[in-house]
């Protein structure tokens, strides 16, 4: 399979390509992706810029039909797309199919939103004047996405961008070209005018600056690591370009003495280790009060012993591989760092399976304190640490003592503590007796502090980023 860039309504060859390797079995090459250059990106921006005015004038019905077509096809093909996703990214098959379904549902949600675009009509404070507030498209939006949700994250940026009348240039992560290509192929048959949607493969450091620096691109929506995000925000700031960033997390899960132990273990294991811990919302700090600490640690260790790590497409697998060698090495390095800093590690070693892949036993690091590197920096793998605390007040203080603020959870049967935590957790998303990862598709997603910048993604709140507001005054 050749994954080509899609520019101005046509598939675009490049001389250079890179293999798409299955992390469960490195002998399985799914295809080869084009490695685009700055000139390809410039062509895609020109195509989007040329098509933007026409799409901005499209009717809600035209937009609905396009988005509904894309959503319906993704949902109808979720098993096949989920398998592709699992093969290239390493999520288990149920996780892959779940993510594909979510992408379809997002397009369906924003198809509905095309019919619900409203404004405000107000009375002026001055006599005889009418005021109306309407939303217009931003113009050309550049979308930059990471590898860990290769179909859902592109979907949750593309769908609102198109629904609100913008033209799009998508730059997906290098590791996952298959899902981006499949999505572009569906979009190419959706009835969208040529040039409204463009896909450019290539290295972030090569095609990214062209996208960010172009004066024909009006806004950038980025999801990825903190370092890349900060650099993009600085560049956009210099150009006064609208920018939205979703970045890392160091998400706490607080477990109180009064928690239901089974729920706390389920929620923590799911939040920390499923999807191989490669979720920005993964629970990486388990903050546990002393009365339940030992029972909780023993129960989590027992659960981890019963989880199968293996090939993502096998039925018996609970946890698939790490995405690539570099990420696996980073995960193993953090386990070493945690050990050297005084943590006690269960699991956390590289595993051999009957295929060559990037397998790692889930790691639980106990006896840690919140100032250790393992509790300050995002690992982005199947690694979680336990911090023992005295009581709820200390748990809340430790949960909030981080530069991140994406998702924050608590397991408790106390309404008082749950209510207080919801009000005082410094995070964009708060979970009570639920994993920190795993969210609905119709409500806002995003964080506070170093995790996010700009307006929220998803749900009706997406309008804030993908539109600009106009206030008109009329004296009849
Ligand atoms: P990354 O920052 O390495 O790459 C993200 C994207 O940016 C890729 O498409 C990459 O090619 C591109 N890029 C790299 N350099 C660039 C440059 N100079 N200019 C423009 N684009 C450039 O991140 P990753 O490793 O793909 O993803 C993992 C990270 O993403 C983790 O930190 C994770 O927490 C974060 N993430 C956050 C969320 C969220 O919503 N908060 C969701 C998923 C992942």
């Amino acid at each position: 399979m050749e994954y080509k860039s899609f520019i101005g309504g046509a598939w675009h060859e490049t001389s250079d390509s890179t293999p798409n390797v299955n992390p469960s079995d490195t002998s399985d090459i799914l295809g080869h992706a084009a490695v685009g250059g700055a000139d390809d990106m410039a062509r895609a921006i020109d195509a989007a810029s040329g098509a933007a005015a026409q799409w901005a004038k499209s009717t809600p019905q035209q937009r609905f039909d396009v988005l509904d077509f894309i959503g319906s096809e993704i949902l109808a093909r979720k098993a096949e797309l989920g398998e592709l996703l699992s093969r290239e990214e390493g999520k288990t098959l149920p996780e892959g199919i779940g993510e594909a379904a979510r992408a379809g549902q997002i397009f369906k949600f924003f198809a509905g939103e095309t019919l619900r675009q409203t404004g405000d009509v107000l009375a002026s404070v001055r006599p005889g004047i009418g005021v109306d507030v309407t939303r217009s498209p931003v113009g050309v939006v550049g979308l930059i996405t990471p590898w860990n949700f290769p179909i859902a994250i592109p979907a949750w940026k593309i769908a609102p961008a198109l629904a609100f009348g913008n033209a799009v240039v998508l730059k997906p992560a290098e590791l996952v070209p298959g899902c981006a290509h499949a999505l572009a192929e569906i979009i190419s048959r959706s009835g969208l005018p040529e040039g409204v949607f463009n896909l450019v493969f290539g290295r972030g450091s090569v095609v990214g600056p062209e996208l960010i620096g172009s004066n024909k691109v009006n806004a950038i929506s980025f999801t990825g690591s903190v370092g890349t995000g900060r650099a993009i925000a600085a560049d956009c700031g210099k150009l006064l370009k609208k920018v939205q960033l979703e970045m890392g997390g160091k998400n706490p899960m607080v477990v109180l003495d009064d928690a239901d132990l089974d729920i706390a273990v389920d929620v923590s294991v799911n939040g920390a280790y499923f999807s191989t811990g490669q979720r920005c919302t993964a629970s990486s700090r388990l903050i546990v009060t002393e009365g339940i600490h030992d029972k909780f640690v023993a129960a989590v260790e027992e659960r981890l012993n019963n989880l199968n790590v293996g090939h993502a497409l096998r039925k018996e697998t609970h946890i698939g591989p790490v995405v690539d060698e570099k990420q696996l090495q980073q995960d193993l390095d953090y386990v070493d760092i945690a050990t050297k800093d005084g943590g006690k590690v269960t699991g956390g070693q590289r595993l051999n399976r009957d295929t060559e892949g990037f397998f790692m036993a889930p790691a639980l690091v106990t006896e840690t304190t919140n100032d250790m590197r393992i509790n300050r920096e995002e690992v982005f793998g199947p690694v979680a640490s336990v911090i023992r605390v005295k009581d709820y007040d200390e748990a809340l203080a430790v949960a909030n003592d981080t530069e991140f603020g994406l998702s924050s959870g608590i397991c408790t049967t106390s309404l008082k503590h749950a209510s207080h935590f919801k009000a005082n957790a410094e995070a964009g998303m708060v979970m009570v007796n639920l994993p920190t990862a795993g969210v609905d598709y119709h409500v806002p997603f995003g964080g506070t502090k170093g995790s996010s910048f700009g307006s929220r993604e998803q749900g009706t709140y997406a309008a804030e980023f993908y539109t600009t507001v106009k206030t008109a005054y009329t004296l009849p």
Side-chain angles (χ1 to χ4, degrees):
M1 180 81 190
E2 294 295 317
Y3 310 118
K4 296 177 186 163
S5 292
F6 184 67
I7 299 173
W11 297 99
H12 192 77
E13 305 265 357
T14 47
S15 51
D16 199 5
S17 72
T18 173
N20 186 12
V21 180
N22 180 346
S24 298
D25 176 1
T26 55
S27 69
D28 177 26
I29 306 295
L30 285 78
H32 288 82
V35 181
D39 52 336
D40 297 308
M41 181 54 85
R43 267 196 285 277
I45 293 168
D46 282 346
S49 173
Q54 183 197 353
W55 187 243
K57 290 197 195 88
S58 58
T59 63
Q61 188 65 51
Q62 283 170 301
R63 296 183 198 173
F64 176 91
D65 290 345
V66 164
L67 293 167
D68 189 55
F69 174 95
I70 301 167
S72 299
E73 179 153 340
I74 294 173
L75 286 172
R77 291 173 52 196
K78 68 180 181 189
E80 171 209 339
L81 293 167
E83 185 177 330
L84 166 67
L85 195 165
S86 296
R87 256 180 94 199
E88 79 171 353
E89 194 269 347
K91 283 194 174 80
T92 63
L93 193 53
E95 289 168 343
I97 294 171
E99 187 186 328
R102 182 193 171 102
Q105 287 156 341
I106 289 167
F107 275 100
K108 289 285 198 178
F109 173 83
F110 282 105
E113 285 301 282
T114 63
L115 306 174
R116 284 189 283 270
Q117 292 180 25
T118 57
D120 298 318
V121 178
L122 295 91
S124 168
V125 291
R126 290 170 283 161
I129 295 175
V131 183
D132 56 85
V133 182
T134 52
R135 289 188 178 273
S136 330
V138 171
V140 175
V141 295
L143 311 179
I144 303 175
T145 54
W147 50 263
N148 66 325
F149 282 92
I151 194 158
I153 293 181
W156 81 52
K157 294 184 192 296
I158 297 167
L162 296 178
F164 293 113
N166 301 285
V168 169
V169 179
L170 171 67
K171 207 307 278 169
E174 292 91 314
L175 282 175
V176 286
C179 286
H181 187 269
L183 194 50
E185 196 282 323
I186 295 170
I187 295 172
S188 75
R189 291 183 283 101
S190 66
L192 198 64
E194 283 178 7
V196 178
F197 172 81
N198 304 274
L199 162 70
V200 180
F201 289 117
R203 292 199 182 86
S205 56
V206 176
V207 294
E210 184 73 27
L211 183 63
I212 292 151
S214 168
N215 58 15
K216 294 179 186 162
V217 176
N218 305 93
I220 298 285
S221 178
F222 167 86
T223 300
S225 60
V226 176
T228 314
R230 279 181 184 269
I232 288 175
D235 289 342
C236 288
K238 276 184 218 137
L239 298 165
L240 301 182
K241 187 169 293 193
K242 194 169 188 178
V243 64
Q244 172 185 62
L245 310 174
E246 291 297 344
M247 302 174 286
K250 198 70 214 173
N251 308 292
M253 172 52 70
V254 169
V255 177
L256 297 185
D257 285 356
D258 65 19
D260 177 311
L261 184 63
D262 289 339
I263 291 177
V265 171
D266 272 352
V267 156
S268 302
V269 169
N270 175 320
Y273 302 105
F274 286 8
S275 297
T276 324
Q278 298 175 148
R279 298 188 282 194
C280 50
T281 46
S283 317
S284 48
R285 295 182 299 140
L286 308 175
I287 301 165
V288 187
T289 48
E290 46 198 17
I292 197 172
H293 177 277
D294 294 355
K295 273 183 284 179
F296 173 80
V297 168
V300 170
E301 285 177 349
E302 190 191 333
R303 185 70 62 84
L304 294 185
N305 281 334
N306 292 321
L307 292 180
N308 296 322
V309 177
H311 195 298
L313 297 180
R314 301 224 176 121
K315 227 173 146 194
E316 65 278 11
T317 297
H318 300 113
I319 297 180
V322 172
V323 75
D324 70 355
E325 184 67 43
K326 187 168 158 243
Q327 182 66 47
L328 176 58
Q329 199 50 56
Q330 176 172 315
D331 300 345
L332 297 170
D333 287 350
Y334 270 108
V335 170
D336 271 357
I337 291 167
T339 312
K340 286 193 185 112
D341 286 349
K344 197 174 137 248
V345 181
T346 319
Q349 71 280 18
R350 188 171 190 155
L351 298 172
N352 291 320
R353 292 292 179 257
D354 59 5
T355 50
E356 275 299 320
F358 311 112
F359 304 106
M360 176 175 171
L364 184 71
V365 191
T366 54
E367 310 303 330
T368 74
T369 53
N370 201 41
D371 55 356
M372 290 182 184
R373 272 185 73 190
I374 193 69
N375 288 321
R376 309 305 309 175
E377 298 167 21
E378 185 181 49
V379 178
F380 217 56
V383 182
S385 50
V386 179
I387 304 168
R388 188 197 303 255
V389 291
K390 193 163 59 352
D391 55 15
Y392 169 75
D393 291 338
E394 188 184 352
L396 176 65
V398 169
N400 287 340
D401 177 13
T402 170
E403 68 180 78
F404 297 107
L406 191 55
S407 183
S408 191
I410 188 167
C411 286
T412 179
T413 50
S414 153
L415 180 60
K416 184 175 150 216
H417 286 141
S419 306
H420 189 269
F421 191 79
K422 280 196 280 185
N424 292 285
E426 293 169 2
M429 295 171 290
V430 185
M431 309 289 179
V432 177
N433 296 320
L434 287 165
T436 51
V439 294
D440 286 0
Y441 62 85
H442 67 308
V443 287
F445 178 95
T448 58
K449 303 200 277 189
S451 289
S452 301
F453 182 78
S455 54
R456 285 280 186 273
E457 297 202 82
Q458 301 199 57
T460 53
Y461 288 67
E464 206 49 48
F465 182 74
Y466 290 102
T467 63
T468 182
V469 166
K470 183 176 284 175
T471 310
Y473 297 83
T474 309
L475 179 64

